[in-house]
Amino acid sequence: MRWIEALALGLLAGLPALAGAAAPAASEPAHGIAMHGDLRYQAGFSHYDYVDPDAPKGGRLTLAVQGSFDSLNPLIIKGDAANGIRENVYESLMTRSADEPFSLYGLLAESVDVPDDRSSITFFLRPEAHFSDGAPVTVDDVIFSLDLLREHGRVNHQTYYKKVIRTERVGERGIRMVFAPGGDREMPLIMGLMPILPRHAVEPEHFEETSLTPPIGSGPYVVAAVDPGRSITYRLDPGYWGGDLAVNRGRNNFAEFRYDYYRDASAMLEALKTGASLYASEGDPSKRATDYDFPAVADGRVVIESFPLGIPAGMAALAFNTRRAIFKDQRVRQALILLFDFEWINRTLYHGAYRRTQSYFERSELSAHGRPTDETETTLLAPFAGAVKPAVLDGSYALPVSAGDGRNREHLREAIGLLKEAGYEIREGVLVDRATGAPFRFEVMTQTREQERLMLSYAQALKRAGIEMTLRQVEGSQYQSRLQKFDFDMIQTFWWASLSPGNEQIFRWSTKLAAGTATFNYPGVDSPAVDAMIGALLKARDRASFVSAVRALDRVLISGDYVVPLFHVSDQFVARWRQLKHPAVIPLNGVQLDCWWIDPEAK
């Protein structure tokens, strides 16, 4: 079972396809590839350090998730796909370890050949790899998957896979992919993560249609049962070909697991209390303090644990849609950032347990917060005078801090001053456009009661400045549709972060995608400086220059005031029924449920 922490890993680029690339220097096939530096696991390793290779097999895991689904195809835009398909049914040529920034090891491919300039990659398929229907995984399936996703897949795949300008067969089981020029050193790894679909079982002309037909893949699990919108059950494939691989040893331990869908977090918590769900990860400190004192915890049937995290916190934020006229002026965005009273909200809503997020890569060496620019950053940013605020350059910038008394008077005065500079004034307690008299009002699109609770506190602060913020709760499919079309004023969102950010940054911040649809560039970031910093991090050949490029990107994004940064916790809080066990080691990326197991002796 392959679980991916974040939603959506948007992977794309938009460079032109150019033919005639020069042949790379000869290299030796290897069992894996690291984005920077050396691999943690050498050839012939027996298993990952964060698994128990002797974990028992069997048992059933049930998980509670919020929302609904109407499709079993996670590789297209249309529909809401059920959880677990991509991670457990479809496999990639390589698989990622959870205790390294970004390293891949052979899965469907037993080895890879990559030249030093990373202008291409050659994958050599395992002869024993096959799909759940018994058909072997072939080079034809790899080529088919590449072509299919490039033409009919999600927007990120359609755009991104165009960077493969040529494919070549190498013997019976090898395929070489040649990349467009441009210095993107992440491309070999991204192609290693491409899902491989069975050519014989997929109809390209119908691929973009939603379907509830269980798909065929090469992964460890098959879809056993589907209750549309309510639950999906996976069963371990008894004929799974890859169970003895080093990358799989100690993993995929459940004989069966199921996702049950619930309308809201309260119902999910009740499922945990009764044992209908065996696991929950809670990110809200107030709920940690108040909601996990129930009988099963008191008598030890439910175990509460907290695990440290070695990855960046990511950016949880209220995103301004700068495509809307009301948010185009940066002074307006700065004013609304000032009016967000974190200290008051943290104390009254969350027991003071959150930390303010000051960086898009908070909680890691990639964060620029509190650090002055180094020589490499200075060189990268030199062509973009004014793109970074002086205080962000010298590391002294920090988000405003209030007294926490709920009044926030100093920041209110400063915010009103900025709004006046932007052409607004207060008339009879209402902030209006000085020229037109139109009131300053906007809508926040929400999905959950937790979001509404936060937004209502923020709305009270905005009201003191004469600003009217309204809330609109939108159900799942409509929310996704509006999100893809950028049909919103403001949303609460989250951008996941890793220790090796790469092409997904294009999908989030690229100028080229600011005016498109179905990307994660929710604020409409349109900045040549951002594009240049992403280009620099993709070309970095060593960790030091990579870290500098990421910090430079962080500085440009923070300086643009595209979001109201929210907050984060420093650990991962988990509640589990005691029969659900885990290895002694929790890796950098946090909990990996595919390494856990059911203890048949525990009740």
Side-chain angles (χ1 to χ4, degrees):
M1 189 162 64
R2 313 210 194 301
W3 308 71
I4 297 178
E5 283 280 323
L7 319 180
L9 297 176
L11 303 170
L12 75 116
L15 300 180
L18 302 175
S27 57
E28 292 294 327
H31 69 295
I33 180 175
M35 184 62 201
H36 299 106
D38 298 324
L39 291 166
R40 177 186 180 98
Y41 298 98
Q42 301 306 305
F45 75 97
S46 61
H47 57 80
Y48 291 139
D49 293 341
Y50 54 87
V51 307
D52 182 343
D54 299 318
K57 304 289 185 178
R60 175 175 180 160
L61 173 66
T62 305
L63 301 170
V65 293
Q66 189 170 347
S68 183
F69 70 93
D70 59 9
S71 173
L72 299 187
N73 188 349
L75 304 176
I76 59 174
I77 295 175
K78 190 176 180 181
D80 290 329
N83 287 42
I85 300 288
R86 173 64 184 90
E87 300 90 339
N88 302 293
V89 174
Y90 294 130
E91 288 186 309
S92 303
L93 294 163
M94 308 186 78
T95 187
R96 188 170 186 164
S97 73
D99 53 354
E100 298 172 84
F102 193 8
S103 294
L104 302 183
Y105 298 89
L107 184 58
L108 289 171
E110 62 183 347
S111 62
V112 294
D113 191 351
V114 185
D116 182 66
D117 65 0
R118 297 196 176 181
S119 59
S120 68
I121 185 170
T122 304
F123 299 98
F124 298 95
L125 301 181
R126 297 183 190 272
E128 69 270 30
H130 63 77
F131 295 103
S132 60
D133 63 355
V137 178
T138 68
V139 169
D140 287 335
D141 293 309
V142 177
I143 295 173
F144 171 79
S145 301
L146 172 61
D147 292 341
L148 180 71
L149 295 173
R150 183 165 49 194
E151 298 302 321
H152 302 287
R154 299 183 68 86
V155 173
N156 51 330
H157 291 146
Q158 289 184 30
T159 306
Y160 186 80
Y161 292 154
K162 290 178 182 177
K163 296 187 75 172
V164 178
I165 59 173
R166 189 169 70 251
T167 59
E168 302 169 354
R169 295 176 182 270
V170 181
E172 182 181 354
R173 299 197 307 273
I175 178 171
R176 179 171 176 248
M177 299 179 184
V178 180
F179 307 129
D184 181 350
R185 296 182 61 79
E186 192 184 32
M187 270 300 295
L189 287 84
I190 298 308
M191 297 315 301
L193 292 175
M194 180 180 70
I196 304 303
L197 287 74
R199 184 181 65 161
H200 66 280
V202 177
E203 299 178 355
E205 61 270 23
H206 299 299
F207 184 69
E208 294 183 66
E209 301 172 6
T210 59
S211 172
L212 290 172
T213 301
I216 293 173
S218 64
Y221 287 87
V222 295
V223 176
V226 178
D227 186 355
R230 296 172 62 88
S231 72
I232 182 168
T233 303
Y234 297 88
R235 184 179 64 246
L236 188 65
D237 182 0
Y240 176 52
W241 69 272
D244 293 330
L245 297 179
V247 295
N248 284 332
R249 197 161 293 133
R251 304 173 67 193
N252 309 315
N253 300 315
F254 306 109
E256 187 175 283
F257 71 95
R258 187 180 77 203
Y259 290 104
D260 286 336
Y261 284 76
Y262 294 86
R263 176 168 297 184
D264 55 38
S266 296
M268 292 168 60
L269 179 63
E270 290 303 313
L272 177 71
K273 290 179 179 180
T274 63
S277 169
L278 297 184
Y279 171 91
S281 180
E282 181 60 71
D284 186 335
S286 63
K287 290 188 175 182
R288 295 182 182 184
T290 61
D291 290 358
Y292 289 84
D293 181 15
F294 51 87
V297 173
D299 63 25
R301 288 176 295 152
V302 169
V303 179
I304 303 296
E305 294 180 288
S306 179
F307 302 116
L309 289 170
I311 57 173
M315 175 57 80
L318 308 179
F320 301 108
N321 186 354
T322 65
R323 303 169 187 84
R324 299 285 212 238
I326 197 170
F327 292 137
K328 284 190 179 296
D329 193 313
Q330 187 170 357
R331 293 167 297 188
V332 169
R333 305 197 299 271
Q334 290 171 342
L336 268 66
I337 292 171
L338 281 164
L339 291 170
F340 186 85
D341 191 344
F342 166 72
E343 287 68 32
W344 169 254
I345 288 173
N346 193 32
R347 182 168 68 85
T348 59
L349 297 185
Y350 305 115
H351 298 265
Y354 275 122
R355 299 180 182 180
R356 190 76 191 269
T357 301
Q358 305 272 0
S359 162
Y360 285 78
F361 305 97
E362 186 80 45
R363 204 177 59 198
S364 77
E365 66 172 342
L366 303 175
S367 170
H369 178 65
R371 296 183 171 105
T373 51
D374 60 26
E375 185 175 346
T376 300
E377 289 180 78
T378 300
T379 300
L380 290 172
L381 293 168
F384 305 99
V388 179
K389 299 174 182 178
V392 178
L393 283 172
D394 65 25
S396 63
Y397 175 80
L399 289 165
V401 177
S402 76
D405 58 7
R407 296 181 179 88
N408 203 19
R409 290 174 178 171
E410 180 181 347
H411 296 151
L412 176 60
R413 285 193 296 269
E414 187 177 348
I416 290 174
L418 286 167
L419 292 166
K420 285 182 177 179
E421 291 178 16
Y424 294 92
E425 65 183 17
I426 296 178
R427 298 177 187 171
E428 298 180 354
V430 177
L431 187 71
V432 300
D433 185 300
R434 188 180 300 119
T436 67
F440 190 108
R441 63 165 64 103
F442 65 95
E443 178 184 273
V444 178
M445 190 168 66
T446 67
Q447 283 188 292
T448 68
R449 294 176 183 174
E450 289 74 20
Q451 289 179 344
E452 287 187 348
R453 182 175 61 151
L454 174 61
M455 292 301 99
L456 287 171
S457 293
Y458 188 31
Q460 291 177 2
L462 295 177
K463 189 174 182 180
R464 297 188 188 98
I467 297 171
E468 180 185 356
M469 183 179 81
T470 60
L471 308 184
R472 181 182 296 274
Q473 187 165 358
V474 181
E475 57 87 19
S477 60
Q478 183 185 2
Y479 186 92
Q480 290 300 320
S481 176
R482 291 185 60 179
L483 207 62
Q484 291 172 1
K485 299 173 184 176
F486 305 125
D487 181 18
F488 60 86
D489 296 332
M490 175 184 279
I491 56 168
Q492 181 179 341
T493 191
F494 176 73
W495 289 280
W496 173 87
S498 75
L499 290 170
S500 185
N503 276 275
E504 79 282 353
Q505 302 302 310
I506 298 174
F507 197 54
R508 297 174 182 182
W509 318 120
S510 167
T511 295
K512 182 176 293 186
L513 299 179
T517 58
T519 76
F520 296 158
N521 189 351
Y522 302 132
V525 174
D526 186 352
S527 165
V530 167
D531 293 340
M533 298 312 111
I534 295 173
L537 70 87
L538 291 175
K539 294 177 183 178
R541 297 179 67 92
D542 58 74
R543 185 68 183 179
S545 56
F546 173 77
V547 170
S548 294
V550 177
R551 288 180 184 171
L553 172 63
D554 194 24
R555 295 183 201 277
V556 178
L557 289 172
I558 288 294
S559 297
D561 297 311
Y562 300 111
V563 302
V564 180
L566 294 179
F567 29 75
H568 65 279
V569 291
S570 58
D571 62 349
Q572 186 172 15
F573 176 98
V574 163
R576 62 175 174 86
W577 281 76
R578 64 186 175 193
Q579 64 265 38
L580 180 60
K581 304 291 187 179
H582 62 76
V585 176
I586 301 297
L588 281 173
N589 288 354
V591 168
Q592 306 292 305
L593 278 175
D594 65 349
C595 305
W596 293 32
W597 63 90
I598 298 293
D599 181 354
E601 302 299 321
K603 299 294 183 180

